[in-house]
Amino acid sequence: MADTSATNAFDVIVIGAGPGGYVCAIRAAQLGMKVACVEKRATLGGTCLNVGCIPSKALLQSSENYAAATHEFAAHGVMVEGVKLDLARMQARKAEVVSANVKGVEFLFRKNKITWLKGEGRIAAPGKVAVSDQVYDTKHIVIATGSESMPLKGIEVDEKRIVTSTGALELDAVPGHLVVIGGGVIGLELGSVWARLGARVTVVEFLDSILPTMDREIGRSFERILAKQGFTFRLGTRVTAATADEKGVDLTIEAAGGGTAETLRADVVLLAIGRRAYTAGLGLDAVGVALDERGRVGTDAHWATNVPGIYAIGDVVAGPMLAHTAEDEGVALAERLAGQAGHVNDEAIPGVVYTWPEVATVGRTEEQLKAEGIAYAVGKFPFTANGRARAMGSTDGFVKLLADKQTDRLLGAHIIGPDAGTIIAELVTAIEFGASAEDVARTCHAHPSLGEAIKEAALAVGGRALHI
Ligand code: FAD
Ligand code: NAI
């Protein structure tokens, strides 16, 4: 056990200052522990704040404003002429947003007296973390080293012509034709950014649906909505090779099951086929921390690895690779280290795609309920019948609720629609509290609000929607 009165001894050393690591550090400090956090990046905040959630949302907001000014204002009687894109300014604004956020984490570290150990952390032994040539003693070690973009054989990323999300956030010109490999969250969000700014966007997806892990109806409907916005989808298609030259990339594609090869010419290719756990340089082998079959750090239900005193949270462990999951795990683990009973409810974790309209989902899909043999009732309500959505001019999408057929307990909620990522919160709370569809249906919702579509979908579970 480390004597934490020494300057280089801590109660907890967290490795990685992303949303999992920095939040874990703050909560541990709040609970009276002496905490250090190791981060090798020049700024705190991890993937999320530096090259993920925050810069992507800054560009989504800016590109949405541009698209509204060019295509939507006129319908509202707002006539603007000569709308021009200043991409350099848009990128500079994004950098300002990132900078304010990462500095915010530095402030929180100072406020909570968390020591930032700058550099790459390596677990020298249980209770010992090495950073450069210094070794620090600690009671607990938390691995929060996150994830990295998944590579694809035959596709060499140069972050200029063939980019990951990191390069796609930094383009200094709008590509004429952007080909996205992978119809998942990154492909659709960053595809939307560049489509709104004028790029032709083609999405090549291996499976037969975009967002394939979501409710099937969501994937199919969302594909139609994005197609109306100009996206081209090549589903059931795989990329077998890519050759980049000065001006662009030739991508060889063929049907997923095999078939005649075809060439797609792209100005830029975005590789977005998922992310994988990042454990390089941690020395896990030497210390005996076991990885699972997909290279993630193996843990029990309370984030303990097989080596006593070493824990792991966030993208580096199994589960959804989402910032809020990482944060909640960070809080729960810190509380457990303090002898409390921190817990994360896997059934009530929202997932949001920040396109327009947005896609938001929580709980079980129809496909999962069928596979589990659970009898369910469906309630649906379209935004075309919601007064507020009409006033906004944003009627694409619907709310779909799934409730247990016998008990009426809400099991899943899936929304495509304006601000879906915000209004889903009500349904996350409902699922967290074990609410029934009837509970949601009998809750008074403000008028006119987008949330009324949720109330109507809840009424529809019982076959008694009022406005359709
Ligand atoms: P990370 O944020 O990856 O942080 C890990 C940190 O550990 C990094 O800073 C890394 O430098 C550091 N590190 C690694 N190894 C070492 C070492 N040995 N020593 C020192 N430091 C080390 N999620 C959402 O919920 N909402 C979104 O809108 C969203 N948008 C995204 C957009 C993009 C483009 C991407 C790529 C991801 C997005 N995500 C989003 C996912 C989200 O970013 C991750 O789920 C989240 O960052 C995971 O947090 P983490 O703390 O586990 O790891
Ligand atoms: P993803 O898992 O969301 O999507 C990857 C897609 O690529 C899937 O549809 C998959 O079927 C497809 N695919 C896999 N191999 C392929 C191949 N060889 N050819 C063509 N298609 C292939 O992963 P993505 O979009 O890279 O995002 C990574 C992670 O980052 C996700 O886990 C996501 O949760 C997180 N993220 C979250 C965001 C949010 O919450 N708004 C935004 C961006 C990322």
Side-chain angles (χ1 to χ4, degrees), residues 15-22 38-41 43-54 56-57 117 119-122 144-148 165-166 169 185-186 189-190 275 278-282 313-316 320-326 352 354:
I15 308 177
Y22 87 72
V38 194
E39 175 55 61
K40 62 179 179 175
R41 200 186 288 267
T43 48
L44 301 172
T47 302
C48 174
L49 271 61
N50 290 282
V51 290
C53 325
I54 298 302
S56 61
K57 268 77 246 178
L117 301 173
E120 186 170 33
R122 181 176 56 83
T145 47
S147 62
E148 62 180 351
S165 53
T166 302
L169 288 165
V185 197
I186 289 180
E189 285 188 359
L190 295 181
R275 294 179 63 82
Y278 182 80
T279 56
L282 272 178
I313 53 168
D315 277 13
V316 81
M321 288 183 162
L322 295 170
H324 43 280
T325 316
V352 177
Y354 292 89

Side-chain angles (χ1 to χ4, degrees), residues 47 52-53 56-57 60 147-153 155 165 180-190 203-214 234 237-239 271-276 315 319-324 350-355 359:
T47 302
C53 325
S56 61
K57 268 77 246 178
L60 277 158
S147 62
E148 62 180 351
S149 182
M150 185 100 75
L152 180 60
K153 202 164 160 253
I155 315 287
S165 53
V180 180
I181 309 176
V185 197
I186 289 180
L188 301 182
E189 285 188 359
L190 295 181
V203 176
V204 179
E205 164 61 50
F206 184 75
L207 297 175
D208 64 357
S209 169
I210 58 168
L211 300 175
T213 54
M214 290 195 182
R234 302 295 302 263
T237 303
R238 68 190 179 113
V239 176
L271 179 63
I273 59 164
R275 294 179 63 82
R276 64 179 182 189
D315 277 13
M321 288 183 162
L322 295 170
H324 43 280
V352 177
V353 190
Y354 292 89
T355 43
V359 180

